[in-house]
Amino acid sequence: MEHDCKFNTRLLHGETSKGYGQREILPPISQVSAFQYESMEELERVFTHKSMGYAYTRIGNPSVSAFEQKINELEGGAGAVCCSSGMSAITASLLAICESGDEIIAGTGLYGGTIDLLHDLEKLGIHTIFTKKLDKTSLTGLITDRTRVIFGELISNPSLIVMDVKEVSEAAHEAGIPVLIDSTTATPYMARPIELGADIVIHSTSKYINGGGNSIGGIIVDGGKFSWNFEKHTALKEFKKYGRMAFSVRLRTDIWENLGSCMAPMNAYLSYIGVETLGLRMEKICDNADALAKALDKEPDIEVNYLTLPGHPYHEYVDSQLGGHGGGILNFRAGSRERAFKIINSLKYAVIASNIGDLRTLVIHPASTLYLRSGREETEAAGVFDDTVRVSVGIEDKEDLINDFLSAVADSRI
Ligand SMILES: *Cc1c(COP(=O)(O)O)cnc(C)c1O
C-alpha cells in the first residue's frame, strides 16, 4: 500500500476514513444483532457470499468492519478480523493453523495469559516448544516436520525481549512455516511487522490501540503473503482454493465465526476513536517512559529494565526496528517483594491495575497476579521475579511522574 503522508495524518485521513453511508465523519455505531432484508432471495445472496452485506453481528457488523479496515491499513495487511479480546485473537489464529498433532514454537518471555493458553492447547493435542531466544539458530534446531507456526511477541510484555522479525521470518519461511506476531506492546506506531517479513499480526486492542482503557478487544491482521503448503498445513486444506488468503477465509467463515468471540459494535467504535490519537499518545508515552527509566536507573538499589537504557541487551533494536522508541512498558526490580509492594502502595499518581496502555500510568506486581498460574521457571523466563514491578507509563507530565516514583523509592528505604 502506498502512503504519501506521515503516521498521524494517515490515522485520520487514510483510505479507510473516506466517509460512511450517510456521510458521517466517524463510523456510526450499528448497535444491532441482525440486519433486515426485503426478500428471502436477498438474504440468501448474502449468506452465499454472492452479494456483500451483513446478516448477523457475530459474523459481521459495519462498525466492526470500519475498525478492522482501519487497523488493516495501519499494518499494511490484506485483511483483518476483530475479536472480543486479545486472547481470543491469539486463540482463533492458532486454532485456524494448528490441529491435533501439530507443533508451535514460541518465545519464552510471553504474556501470562498466552502461556496459559498454550498449556490449554496441549489438551487438544497441540504442543508448544518454548525457546528462550527466538532467532535463526534456535529455530534451526527446533523446527520439526510437525511445526506449523512460529509465535512470538515483538516486544515481550513485561520482559522486553525484542524479536528480530526479519531474521526469524527468513528462517521460518525457509522451512515453509508462517510467523505470527503479537505486536500489542510495539503498536503500529513503532513497528509494522508485516513489512518486516511477518505473516500474521495480532493485537490486544484493549491496550495502546484503544488507549483510553475503555474496552477489551483484539484483532488479527493477515499479511496475505504466506504461501501455504496444504499438505503440511492440513488445518487449512479445505480452503486451498483461496491460496494465500486461505488463513483469512478459514478464520472469517469457519473457526473465528464459530468460536463466537466477535467484537461488540460499541467497543469497535470506542477503539476506532481511540486509535486516531495513537501517534500523539505513543510519542508522549515513549518520551515519559524514557525519562522515567533514566531517572530510576540512577537509584543505586533499583534495577531498571527499559529498552532505551544504554546497556540493555536489545538496545540496538530501538533504532533498527522500533522507529527510535522504547515503548510504554518499563519494569524494575526492587530487591524484595516487600519493597516492591511498599513502593507500589506509596505511589501517588500511578494507579494499581492489571492493564497496560492506558492514558494513566499503571503499576502492578506481576508475580502475585498475572503469573499466578505459571510455574517459577516460566515466570522467571518471562522476566518476572518476586521483586519485579511493572510500570505502564501514561501521558501525565513527566516531572510529576518522576517525582512520584523517586519519592516512593526513597520512602521505601525508611
Ligand atoms: C493484554 C495482552 C494480551 C491479551 O489481551 P486481552 O485483550 O487482555 O485478551 C495478549 N498479549 C499481550 C502482549 C498483552 O499485553
Side-chain angles (χ1 to χ4, degrees):
M1 200 174 295
E2 295 294 328
H3 298 293
D4 53 5
C5 56
K6 291 170 75 178
F7 191 79
N8 287 307
T9 312
R10 184 151 38 93
L11 272 172
L12 301 171
H13 304 285
E15 272 311 303
T16 50
S17 318
K18 288 279 190 300
Y20 305 95
Q22 303 300 321
R23 301 185 170 272
E24 299 89 344
I25 206 161
L26 283 168
I29 311 167
S30 300
Q31 190 63 39
V32 294
S33 309
F35 298 79
Q36 56 183 343
Y37 285 85
E38 296 299 317
S39 69
M40 193 53 234
E41 286 79 2
E42 255 186 279
L43 182 56
E44 183 186 26
R45 278 197 294 278
V46 170
F47 263 77
T48 52
H49 308 291
K50 291 198 176 92
S51 64
M52 296 279 280
Y54 297 98
Y56 187 59
T57 285
R58 169 161 56 71
I59 303 167
N61 175 287
S63 313
V64 178
S65 300
F67 181 54
E68 285 170 345
Q69 285 158 19
K70 184 127 187 150
I71 304 298
N72 186 57
E73 182 181 0
L74 278 187
E75 287 290 8
V81 177
C82 274
C83 300
S84 56
S85 67
M87 287 316 304
S88 77
I90 299 174
T91 307
S93 20
L94 292 176
L95 289 181
I97 302 173
C98 300
E99 54 192 11
S100 182
D102 290 348
E103 280 174 9
I104 300 167
I105 297 177
T108 41
L110 297 174
Y111 178 71
T114 306
I115 297 178
D116 289 351
L117 170 70
L118 292 169
H119 289 314
D120 293 337
L121 293 182
E122 295 282 343
K123 299 193 183 76
L124 303 182
I126 300 167
H127 177 56
T128 300
I129 298 165
F130 290 97
T131 169
K132 229 183 178 105
K133 191 164 170 13
L134 212 46
D135 60 8
K136 192 177 165 72
T137 320
S138 68
L139 284 182
T140 312
L142 293 174
I143 289 174
T144 70
D145 59 358
R146 303 244 46 105
T147 310
R148 295 294 175 268
V149 64
I150 312 294
F151 177 84
E153 291 172 14
L154 207 162
I155 307 175
S156 66
N157 165 19
S159 57
L160 307 184
I161 297 169
V162 180
M163 186 205 278
D164 187 325
V165 181
K166 198 161 169 273
E167 178 186 318
V168 168
S169 304
E170 277 170 12
H173 293 164
E174 260 170 49
I177 297 162
V179 175
L180 168 53
I181 291 193
D182 179 343
S183 195
T184 301
T185 48
T187 79
Y189 174 78
M190 290 167 66
R192 296 179 18 120
I194 292 170
E195 277 176 6
L196 296 170
D199 302 291
I200 300 158
V201 177
I202 77 100
H203 288 280
S204 164
T205 62
S206 324
K207 315 291 173 54
Y208 295 97
I209 286 184
N210 172 285
N214 60 45
S215 41
I216 298 294
I219 194 160
I220 307 163
V221 183
D222 180 7
K225 286 190 278 198
F226 187 73
S227 172
W228 301 96
N229 170 352
F230 298 96
E231 298 311 310
K232 187 198 232 349
H233 286 100
T234 45
L236 292 167
K237 203 165 187 168
E238 200 187 315
F239 300 87
K240 189 173 172 177
K241 69 173 179 195
Y242 299 102
R244 290 175 196 246
M245 291 309 288
F247 169 78
S248 275
V249 179
R250 174 157 200 227
L251 267 184
R252 181 67 72 190
T253 64
D254 189 42
I255 197 87
W256 166 84
E257 175 179 323
N258 296 330
L259 279 173
S261 58
C262 61
M263 180 179 274
M266 182 61 151
N267 286 2
Y269 176 75
L270 291 168
S271 306
Y272 189 105
I273 299 174
V275 77
E276 293 194 322
T277 57
L278 179 68
L280 291 184
R281 285 185 282 107
M282 288 311 291
E283 199 180 320
K284 177 84 173 156
I285 284 173
C286 293
D287 183 48
N288 279 358
D290 176 73
L292 181 59
K294 285 174 181 162
L296 280 170
D297 198 40
K298 294 203 182 90
E299 299 294 308
D301 50 356
I302 293 283
E303 194 186 309
V304 187
N305 177 8
Y306 187 67
L307 287 169
T308 60
L309 292 177
H312 196 282
Y314 295 92
H315 186 259
E316 62 175 296
Y317 290 102
V318 170
D319 284 332
S320 68
Q321 198 174 267
L322 304 174
H325 309 288
I329 296 177
L330 72 85
N331 48 73
F332 62 85
R333 296 187 62 177
S336 70
R337 175 190 153 99
E338 291 65 34
R339 187 165 179 229
F341 272 53
K342 204 168 170 188
I343 294 173
I344 291 174
N345 289 340
S346 64
L347 286 164
K348 214 161 45 166
Y349 300 123
V351 176
I352 302 172
S354 160
N355 192 14
I356 57 169
D358 199 292
L359 297 171
R360 285 151 279 270
T361 295
L362 310 177
V363 276
I364 198 163
H365 179 255
S368 61
T369 51
L370 311 171
Y371 287 84
L372 268 183
R373 277 188 63 193
S374 307
R376 189 181 185 90
E377 202 178 311
E378 245 169 11
T379 305
E380 294 190 351
V384 173
F385 301 88
D386 223 26
D387 60 343
T388 302
V389 175
R390 183 185 74 185
V391 186
S392 165
V393 179
I395 63 165
E396 296 91 345
D397 293 299
K398 66 181 163 200
E399 298 76 10
D400 293 327
L401 280 183
I402 292 171
N403 286 339
D404 194 14
F405 277 85
L406 292 186
S407 328
V409 166
D411 290 350
S412 71
R413 293 194 187 106
I414 303 167

